[in-house]
Amino acid sequence: MPRVKIRFISWYSRCMFSPEGAGSAIVLSSILVENYKPISVLPVLSKVLERVVHTQMSAYLDHLGFLHKHQYGFRRGRSTAQAVGLLNNFVLDAMDGQKVTGMLFLDISKAFDSINHKILLGKLEHIGLSARSLRWFKSYLADRRQCVCINGEMSETRTIDLGVPQGSILGPLLFNVYINSLSSAITKSELILYADDAVLVVAASTSKWVNDALRHDFNEICNWYISNKLTVNVKTKLMLSGSKTMLSSFSDFTFSAGEDQVNRVSSFNYLGVVLDEKCNERCMSIAFYKNWGIAS
């Protein structure tokens, strides 16, 4: 990690997020306020400094082989196309084996805004960061403030006690570190991640096997979310994919999360690609495939 004086970093954090400063995080509110997220407007100094830290931190994580192999968000050389391609190949391989694939699409509610700083610092310590580096990151996260702007009227600022700064260079990397241990909770299915979008994938020839595997890992994920102070989004969806013949034996398949039944869908828009239960793939944009060399 860069050997920068902690005193300097503390000044930078306070100045960057002052009400009139260039680093204030502003939420533009509308009728559906929950659709808006605070975006940090970073001064040039912060971008330079964060880029240096990001480069060294990324190299260190790559050296450790720390990040989950199927995490495709915010990583150099990884893309949405690769995540979609992996999922599609998994479904096709299962069909070749006369199996049905169950896919549970999960999302973390307000993921970037919910990161617990104490837990994050504990995870950074666990991967071997020095005491000096931990003080750096603690200072980086502390004393940040945000306000809301409605019709040109600015609210008073409030201190941000949770989350990583959205729009920052380090924020996505820190998020990946935070969520990385989610993969250790999964034992009976495959986990594909793109930032906070997660897909549980399991293939089997019987509905009981699919249900049991998804239920076990979904419960483990919920426990992981609770211990890491995150919340599963209510938009969780279930989709089964396979041939018409194989799907006929799953016609009455249902899946519940606690007392609530998860909505089973016949198609799902996953990272810009519409996947349906018969494994027909319709891309939102043909250019998406041409750009990444994936046949449609």
Side-chain angles (χ1 to χ4, degrees):
M1 301 301 298
R3 296 184 177 180
V4 184
K5 291 183 179 179
I6 301 302
R7 184 186 308 169
F8 169 76
I9 299 301
S10 296
W11 166 83
Y12 152 72
S13 293
R14 290 197 303 270
C15 178
M16 178 178 166
F17 288 85
S18 63
E20 294 82 15
S24 297
I26 299 176
V27 180
L28 299 178
S29 218
S30 186
I31 296 176
L32 298 176
V33 180
E34 63 272 17
N35 289 339
Y36 291 84
K37 299 178 180 179
I39 302 298
S40 299
V41 183
L42 304 173
V44 175
L45 176 61
S46 76
K47 292 181 180 180
V48 174
L49 186 58
E50 287 192 41
R51 178 59 63 188
V52 171
V53 178
H54 184 282
T55 299
Q56 295 192 24
M57 185 74 171
S58 295
Y60 179 64
L61 294 176
D62 288 343
H63 174 72
L64 294 177
F66 175 74
L67 295 178
H68 178 50
K69 63 180 180 179
H70 294 325
Q71 170 61 274
Y72 291 94
F74 310 124
R75 299 180 67 182
R76 184 182 297 275
R78 303 293 184 100
S79 68
T80 55
Q82 291 172 314
V84 172
L86 177 64
L87 180 58
N88 191 54
N89 288 340
F90 193 96
V91 172
L92 293 175
D93 288 344
M95 290 179 68
D96 289 341
Q98 300 300 306
K99 296 178 180 179
V100 168
T101 302
M103 292 165 281
L104 199 61
F105 297 92
L106 308 169
D107 183 47
I108 302 174
S109 181
K110 300 184 182 299
F112 279 73
D113 300 328
S114 304
I115 299 300
N116 182 281
H117 293 172
K118 184 177 180 179
I119 294 177
L120 174 58
L121 291 170
K123 292 175 184 287
L124 293 174
E125 182 179 14
H126 179 72
I127 62 176
L129 265 64
S130 66
R132 174 177 292 182
S133 295
L134 291 172
R135 289 197 300 271
W136 192 97
F137 279 105
K138 183 177 181 179
S139 179
Y140 171 79
L141 295 167
D143 298 327
R144 294 184 177 271
R145 303 178 69 82
Q146 73 175 27
C147 57
V148 178
C149 181
I150 304 178
N151 296 327
E153 296 293 328
M154 195 79 70
S155 71
E156 295 182 359
T157 60
R158 290 194 173 184
T159 301
I160 305 173
D161 298 321
L162 296 172
V164 292
Q166 297 195 51
S168 67
I169 295 172
L170 276 175
L173 182 61
L174 293 175
F175 178 82
N176 276 352
V177 170
Y178 194 92
I179 199 176
N180 191 68
S181 61
L182 174 62
S183 60
S184 63
I186 309 304
T187 58
K188 298 185 179 297
S189 57
E190 291 288 336
L191 175 67
I192 303 175
L193 291 167
Y194 188 87
D196 57 332
D197 289 315
V199 188
L200 280 180
V201 190
V202 62
S205 55
T206 66
S207 59
K208 183 179 186 306
W209 185 279
V210 172
N211 194 302
D212 289 348
L214 288 179
R215 184 176 307 282
H216 176 274
D217 283 349
F218 179 75
N219 289 337
E220 291 302 312
I221 282 181
C222 289
N223 291 334
W224 184 92
Y225 281 0
I226 291 171
S227 63
N228 286 271
K229 302 186 183 301
L230 297 173
T231 305
V232 179
N233 200 312
V234 294
K235 298 178 182 179
T236 297
K237 295 289 188 292
L238 168 74
M239 189 176 84
L240 301 180
S241 188
S243 68
K244 184 177 181 180
T245 301
M246 292 184 290
L247 285 174
S248 62
S249 62
F250 284 73
S251 58
D252 297 329
F253 186 91
T254 59
F255 183 82
S256 58
E259 298 180 354
D260 301 320
Q261 184 169 308
V262 174
N263 185 22
R264 177 180 170 181
V265 296
S266 59
S267 64
F268 189 82
N269 184 345
Y270 178 60
L271 302 178
V273 177
V274 179
L275 303 173
D276 68 32
E277 60 184 11
K278 296 179 182 178
C279 205
N280 295 317
E281 197 174 286
R282 303 186 302 277
C283 189
M284 294 293 188
S285 170
I286 295 177
F288 179 90
Y289 282 105
K290 290 182 177 180
N291 185 40
W292 295 102
I294 301 176
S296 60

